[in-house]
Each structure stands twice: as structure tokens, then as C-alpha cells.
Amino acid sequence: MTEILTPSHVSLKASLPKRAWQESLKNAIRSGRELCRRLDLAPELCAPEAEDDFPVFVSEEFLSRISPGNPSDPLLRQVLGTSQELSTEGLLDPVDDEAAVRGNGILQKYSGRVLLITTGACAIHCRYCFRRHYPYQSSQLGKTAIQTWLNYIAKDPTIEEVILSGGDPLSVVDETWQEFAAGLNQIPHVQRLRVHTRFPVVIPSRVDSKLLDWLTNLKAAVYLVLHINHAQEMDRSVREMFATLRRAGITLLNQAVLLRGVNDTLQMQADLCRMLINDQVIPYYLHQLDPVRGAMHFQVEDEKARSIIQELRTQLPGYAIPQLVQEVAKQPSKTPL
Ligand SMILES: *Cc1c(COP(=O)(O)O)cnc(C)c1O
Ligand code: SF4
């Protein structure tokens, strides 16, 4: 049956069909129990207590890349809340973001770059996230936020680069970004826009014509920093999405987090980096885990991290080797290990 009549009191906007990526968000899996059921795993594997302050959230697209029946799957480990998270080891704000807040989600720690916490919403909940305890309520995006950011950026000629972060900035609809992009185009000192996002990988349909519209209309050079931790996250739909972004002239970088039981072997890092460069995605950073409470079981020793990178150099070209870094509070850059 087709419904073609729209009641007059329903606004046109509300009656617009949801875009594919918004449907994917709506249909995402929201509990460890459901995740275990879908993957033929024992329900005892999940710990509902771990989900109290940070719920499970996984798209069907990401789920389809997880092997059923394997409790050690490297993708599963990134998203399933387990009893290991109940440890009280670790910090709530490990990178001291609070100290760098300039109001309205504006963070400025490093010279020439301003980072905007644009939203708390994400396409996926990563159990190791260093912002899992971040007070997002105090930085919600609205029209006023956009204007505040543009004013802040316009007033400081040393800001060459604007970084959209979050949460995931691509949780925000393109109409809002279109407006922001138009504002940025009026500020001559902004040379680069960087978008840090997991959306394209977790829900590849996020890369659609509306997104490409505002990205390609920017005067600034556009860098998209993806976040892929394991080669298994890249299926055919992800690789097609890379090609679409490349054709639009967008430079693709990747950052990963070194995670015990997920990607902490030479083989896994080599597979990840090789697959990335085969698709012209440059491995940018490999982050040592920020010591956030609830994620300490993912920590890898510095010695092991360094030796993986050293070995990697003997296998792959120089541009395939990510910089191994740690974020140290109050430092003027990420700290190489
Ligand atoms: C990580 C980070 C950046 C970006 O650092 P790069 O080394 O340029 O990638 C910028 N601002 C803040 C607040 C950050 O945490
Ligand atoms: S997508 Fe990024 S901000 Fe969101 S939960 Fe994962 S690591 Fe954290």
C-alpha cells in the first residue's frame, strides 16, 4: 500500500523519508543480550551492569562483519560490554579535556588547530572510548552552537584548521553542516577542515550525495580521519565508500587504538595497514589506550607497542607505518612513544 496523502498539520520536514543511514541508526542493536543472541553466543558473555552508563550500540552493517559463535572476535570485543568493565581502575577524564574547554564544546590544546565536540551521539559505542564519561550534555549542538563556533574561529587568525569531533560529527544532519560550511567559507584563515568519524565504516550509507555536497563545496582542504582498528572491519561496502570519497577529492587518513585482544599482534597490524594503503587510506596514528575507567583490560604495554611498530617497518613502506602516540595531559601535541 502506498500512502501519498500527507495531513496538512504534518510539516513537510517531518514527512520526509528518513535517509538510509538514519534508518540504520534506528535499527541498531542496543543490548549485549540481543548481540549475543544474534551471534549465537552464550548470554553469560555479556554484563548488563556494564551497559548502565554506556549502553551497547552496534549497527547491522558492523554486526554482519562479526563471525558468529566466536567470543574472541576482534570486532565483537570492541562493542560487547563484559564484566571486565566493572573494574574501578583508571580515570574518568584521562586526557584532561575539561582543562582545555573554551565553552560550547570548543577544545583548543594545540597550536593552529581547534577541535569541536559537536555531539555526544555516535554510530557505534566502542567499549574503550576515552570519552565514555565525557559530560556531553554541556555541549549540545544547535544553531546557536554553530554561530558561536564560527565567531570564535573568525576572531582568531591563528586557527588554520578546524577539527570536527565528538561523539561522531556525522551523527549531525547535513543541513546543519551545510550551514557551518558556508560560514567557514567566509573565514579566509581556515585552510583545512578535518572530520574525525567512525560513521563511514560503521554505516557506509552515511557517505551519500548530501554529505558530499557540503564537503566538496568547502574552500578548505578536507581530511577525513577514519577509525578502523582491524582489517575485518573493511568489507566490500566500506571499500566502495573509500572510492566514492577519493573521487570527491577527500584525503583519507586512519587512526586506530592499540587494543589487547583486538589488534595487538604484528600480523594484525600489518594486515590492517596493508589493507588501508591498498585503498589509499594513510595510517596516521596508532594510539596507546587512554587509561579510562572501564577499559583498562584493553591496555597493551609500551614495550610491546614499540616492538610491533619496529617490526612493521621491516615489512611495509614507510607511509604505511602509523605514528605510535599517547595523549599526555597538558602536552602541546600528541606524544610519540
Ligand atoms: C588530538 C587532538 C587534536 C589533533 O591533533 P593532531 O596531532 O593534529 O592530529 C587537536 N586538538 C585536540 C584537543 C586533540 O585532542
Ligand atoms: S565512535 Fe569515537 S567517540 Fe564514539 S564511542 Fe567510538 S571511539 Fe568513542
PDB file of all heavy atoms in Angstrom, residues 315-333:
ATOM      1  N   GLN A 315      58.436  -4.623   7.228  1.00  0.00           N
ATOM      2  CA  GLN A 315      57.520  -5.322   6.311  1.00  0.00           C
ATOM      3  C   GLN A 315      56.841  -4.419   5.305  1.00  0.00           C
ATOM      4  O   GLN A 315      56.443  -4.870   4.237  1.00  0.00           O
ATOM      5  CB  GLN A 315      56.426  -6.036   7.118  1.00  0.00           C
ATOM      6  CG  GLN A 315      56.969  -7.082   8.063  1.00  0.00           C
ATOM      7  CD  GLN A 315      55.899  -8.052   8.524  1.00  0.00           C
ATOM      8  OE1 GLN A 315      54.734  -7.926   8.165  1.00  0.00           O
ATOM      9  NE2 GLN A 315      56.295  -9.021   9.315  1.00  0.00           N
ATOM     10  N   LEU A 316      56.646  -3.160   5.671  1.00  0.00           N
ATOM     11  CA  LEU A 316      55.798  -2.290   4.846  1.00  0.00           C
ATOM     12  C   LEU A 316      56.521  -0.984   4.519  1.00  0.00           C
ATOM     13  O   LEU A 316      57.460  -0.595   5.209  1.00  0.00           O
ATOM     14  CB  LEU A 316      54.491  -1.974   5.598  1.00  0.00           C
ATOM     15  CG  LEU A 316      53.536  -3.133   5.850  1.00  0.00           C
ATOM     16  CD1 LEU A 316      52.377  -2.685   6.725  1.00  0.00           C
ATOM     17  CD2 LEU A 316      53.010  -3.698   4.538  1.00  0.00           C
ATOM     18  N   PRO A 317      56.061  -0.291   3.457  1.00  0.00           N
ATOM     19  CA  PRO A 317      56.672   1.004   3.137  1.00  0.00           C
ATOM     20  C   PRO A 317      56.461   2.020   4.262  1.00  0.00           C
ATOM     21  O   PRO A 317      55.530   1.891   5.067  1.00  0.00           O
ATOM     22  CB  PRO A 317      55.928   1.447   1.872  1.00  0.00           C
ATOM     23  CG  PRO A 317      54.715   0.588   1.769  1.00  0.00           C
ATOM     24  CD  PRO A 317      54.994  -0.669   2.516  1.00  0.00           C
ATOM     25  N   GLY A 318      57.330   3.009   4.289  1.00  0.00           N
ATOM     26  CA  GLY A 318      57.293   3.996   5.362  1.00  0.00           C
ATOM     27  C   GLY A 318      55.947   4.672   5.542  1.00  0.00           C
ATOM     28  O   GLY A 318      55.522   4.923   6.674  1.00  0.00           O
ATOM     29  N   TYR A 319      55.270   4.944   4.438  1.00  0.00           N
ATOM     30  CA  TYR A 319      53.993   5.672   4.567  1.00  0.00           C
ATOM     31  C   TYR A 319      52.882   4.794   5.127  1.00  0.00           C
ATOM     32  O   TYR A 319      51.796   5.280   5.419  1.00  0.00           O
ATOM     33  CB  TYR A 319      53.579   6.294   3.223  1.00  0.00           C
ATOM     34  CG  TYR A 319      53.316   5.313   2.103  1.00  0.00           C
ATOM     35  CD1 TYR A 319      52.066   4.705   1.954  1.00  0.00           C
ATOM     36  CD2 TYR A 319      54.308   4.990   1.186  1.00  0.00           C
ATOM     37  CE1 TYR A 319      51.824   3.807   0.933  1.00  0.00           C
ATOM     38  CE2 TYR A 319      54.077   4.092   0.160  1.00  0.00           C
ATOM     39  CZ  TYR A 319      52.828   3.497   0.041  1.00  0.00           C
ATOM     40  OH  TYR A 319      52.603   2.604  -0.975  1.00  0.00           O
ATOM     41  N   ALA A 320      53.165   3.503   5.285  1.00  0.00           N
ATOM     42  CA  ALA A 320      52.156   2.599   5.846  1.00  0.00           C
ATOM     43  C   ALA A 320      52.266   2.489   7.362  1.00  0.00           C
ATOM     44  O   ALA A 320      51.452   1.830   8.003  1.00  0.00           O
ATOM     45  CB  ALA A 320      52.306   1.222   5.229  1.00  0.00           C
ATOM     46  N   ILE A 321      53.286   3.146   7.930  1.00  0.00           N
ATOM     47  CA  ILE A 321      53.532   2.983   9.368  1.00  0.00           C
ATOM     48  C   ILE A 321      52.898   4.121  10.153  1.00  0.00           C
ATOM     49  O   ILE A 321      53.299   5.284  10.022  1.00  0.00           O
ATOM     50  CB  ILE A 321      55.055   2.978   9.681  1.00  0.00           C
ATOM     51  CG1 ILE A 321      55.815   2.080   8.692  1.00  0.00           C
ATOM     52  CG2 ILE A 321      55.312   2.572  11.132  1.00  0.00           C
ATOM     53  CD1 ILE A 321      55.399   0.621   8.672  1.00  0.00           C
ATOM     54  N   PRO A 322      51.908   3.822  10.972  1.00  0.00           N
ATOM     55  CA  PRO A 322      51.285   4.889  11.757  1.00  0.00           C
ATOM     56  C   PRO A 322      52.236   5.373  12.853  1.00  0.00           C
ATOM     57  O   PRO A 322      53.129   4.643  13.277  1.00  0.00           O
ATOM     58  CB  PRO A 322      50.060   4.205  12.378  1.00  0.00           C
ATOM     59  CG  PRO A 322      50.431   2.757  12.464  1.00  0.00           C
ATOM     60  CD  PRO A 322      51.343   2.487  11.292  1.00  0.00           C
ATOM     61  N   GLN A 323      52.075   6.600  13.275  1.00  0.00           N
ATOM     62  CA  GLN A 323      52.852   7.091  14.416  1.00  0.00           C
ATOM     63  C   GLN A 323      52.216   6.555  15.697  1.00  0.00           C
ATOM     64  O   GLN A 323      51.015   6.728  15.916  1.00  0.00           O
ATOM     65  CB  GLN A 323      52.820   8.615  14.472  1.00  0.00           C
ATOM     66  CG  GLN A 323      53.432   9.298  13.275  1.00  0.00           C
ATOM     67  CD  GLN A 323      53.432  10.808  13.466  1.00  0.00           C
ATOM     68  OE1 GLN A 323      54.033  11.317  14.397  1.00  0.00           O
ATOM     69  NE2 GLN A 323      52.745  11.514  12.584  1.00  0.00           N
ATOM     70  N   LEU A 324      53.061   5.929  16.498  1.00  0.00           N
ATOM     71  CA  LEU A 324      52.583   5.401  17.778  1.00  0.00           C
ATOM     72  C   LEU A 324      52.589   6.550  18.781  1.00  0.00           C
ATOM     73  O   LEU A 324      53.655   7.097  19.085  1.00  0.00           O
ATOM     74  CB  LEU A 324      53.506   4.268  18.229  1.00  0.00           C
ATOM     75  CG  LEU A 324      53.198   3.629  19.577  1.00  0.00           C
ATOM     76  CD1 LEU A 324      51.858   2.908  19.562  1.00  0.00           C
ATOM     77  CD2 LEU A 324      54.312   2.653  19.956  1.00  0.00           C
ATOM     78  N   VAL A 325      51.437   6.923  19.267  1.00  0.00           N
ATOM     79  CA  VAL A 325      51.361   8.087  20.154  1.00  0.00           C
ATOM     80  C   VAL A 325      50.482   7.827  21.376  1.00  0.00           C
ATOM     81  O   VAL A 325      49.662   6.913  21.399  1.00  0.00           O
ATOM     82  CB  VAL A 325      50.787   9.343  19.434  1.00  0.00           C
ATOM     83  CG1 VAL A 325      51.740   9.859  18.379  1.00  0.00           C
ATOM     84  CG2 VAL A 325      49.407   9.069  18.850  1.00  0.00           C
ATOM     85  N   GLN A 326      50.700   8.690  22.323  1.00  0.00           N
ATOM     86  CA  GLN A 326      49.884   8.683  23.541  1.00  0.00           C
ATOM     87  C   GLN A 326      49.453  10.123  23.773  1.00  0.00           C
ATOM     88  O   GLN A 326      50.207  11.046  23.479  1.00  0.00           O
ATOM     89  CB  GLN A 326      50.747   8.219  24.707  1.00  0.00           C
ATOM     90  CG  GLN A 326      50.081   8.323  26.055  1.00  0.00           C
ATOM     91  CD  GLN A 326      49.813   6.952  26.653  1.00  0.00           C
ATOM     92  OE1 GLN A 326      50.727   6.155  26.764  1.00  0.00           O
ATOM     93  NE2 GLN A 326      48.573   6.688  27.010  1.00  0.00           N
ATOM     94  N   GLU A 327      48.257  10.296  24.274  1.00  0.00           N
ATOM     95  CA  GLU A 327      47.868  11.650  24.629  1.00  0.00           C
ATOM     96  C   GLU A 327      48.209  11.875  26.092  1.00  0.00           C
ATOM     97  O   GLU A 327      47.713  11.184  26.971  1.00  0.00           O
ATOM     98  CB  GLU A 327      46.370  11.867  24.392  1.00  0.00           C
ATOM     99  CG  GLU A 327      45.979  13.280  24.744  1.00  0.00           C
ATOM    100  CD  GLU A 327      44.779  13.803  23.975  1.00  0.00           C
ATOM    101  OE1 GLU A 327      44.302  13.112  23.057  1.00  0.00           O
ATOM    102  OE2 GLU A 327      44.333  14.907  24.310  1.00  0.00           O
ATOM    103  N   VAL A 328      49.101  12.836  26.315  1.00  0.00           N
ATOM    104  CA  VAL A 328      49.504  13.143  27.686  1.00  0.00           C
ATOM    105  C   VAL A 328      48.938  14.516  28.034  1.00  0.00           C
ATOM    106  O   VAL A 328      49.155  15.486  27.294  1.00  0.00           O
ATOM    107  CB  VAL A 328      51.050  13.139  27.818  1.00  0.00           C
ATOM    108  CG1 VAL A 328      51.477  13.480  29.227  1.00  0.00           C
ATOM    109  CG2 VAL A 328      51.623  11.786  27.388  1.00  0.00           C
ATOM    110  N   ALA A 329      48.204  14.578  29.141  1.00  0.00           N
ATOM    111  CA  ALA A 329      47.557  15.833  29.527  1.00  0.00           C
ATOM    112  C   ALA A 329      48.581  16.962  29.600  1.00  0.00           C
ATOM    113  O   ALA A 329      49.715  16.765  30.048  1.00  0.00           O
ATOM    114  CB  ALA A 329      46.853  15.654  30.872  1.00  0.00           C
ATOM    115  N   LYS A 330      48.193  18.130  29.128  1.00  0.00           N
ATOM    116  CA  LYS A 330      48.969  19.372  29.198  1.00  0.00           C
ATOM    117  C   LYS A 330      50.159  19.438  28.230  1.00  0.00           C
ATOM    118  O   LYS A 330      50.896  20.413  28.230  1.00  0.00           O
ATOM    119  CB  LYS A 330      49.441  19.661  30.627  1.00  0.00           C
ATOM    120  CG  LYS A 330      48.253  19.673  31.601  1.00  0.00           C
ATOM    121  CD  LYS A 330      48.524  20.387  32.883  1.00  0.00           C
ATOM    122  CE  LYS A 330      47.245  20.605  33.686  1.00  0.00           C
ATOM    123  NZ  LYS A 330      46.489  19.352  33.954  1.00  0.00           N
ATOM    124  N   GLN A 331      50.371  18.421  27.386  1.00  0.00           N
ATOM    125  CA  GLN A 331      51.434  18.486  26.384  1.00  0.00           C
ATOM    126  C   GLN A 331      50.935  19.252  25.153  1.00  0.00           C
ATOM    127  O   GLN A 331      49.753  19.215  24.848  1.00  0.00           O
ATOM    128  CB  GLN A 331      51.880  17.075  25.973  1.00  0.00           C
ATOM    129  CG  GLN A 331      52.617  16.317  27.056  1.00  0.00           C
ATOM    130  CD  GLN A 331      53.818  17.069  27.581  1.00  0.00           C
ATOM    131  OE1 GLN A 331      54.726  17.401  26.830  1.00  0.00           O
ATOM    132  NE2 GLN A 331      53.796  17.387  28.873  1.00  0.00           N
ATOM    133  N   PRO A 332      51.859  19.918  24.436  1.00  0.00           N
ATOM    134  CA  PRO A 332      51.438  20.725  23.297  1.00  0.00           C
ATOM    135  C   PRO A 332      51.195  19.934  22.006  1.00  0.00           C
ATOM    136  O   PRO A 332      50.916  20.516  20.963  1.00  0.00           O
ATOM    137  CB  PRO A 332      52.637  21.696  23.102  1.00  0.00           C
ATOM    138  CG  PRO A 332      53.808  20.951  23.638  1.00  0.00           C
ATOM    139  CD  PRO A 332      53.285  20.084  24.752  1.00  0.00           C
ATOM    140  N   SER A 333      51.321  18.614  22.069  1.00  0.00           N
ATOM    141  CA  SER A 333      50.997  17.756  20.917  1.00  0.00           C
ATOM    142  C   SER A 333      50.766  16.350  21.463  1.00  0.00           C
ATOM    143  O   SER A 333      51.015  16.095  22.636  1.00  0.00           O
ATOM    144  CB  SER A 333      52.156  17.715  19.929  1.00  0.00           C
ATOM    145  OG  SER A 333      53.234  16.962  20.461  1.00  0.00           O
TER     146      SER A 333
END
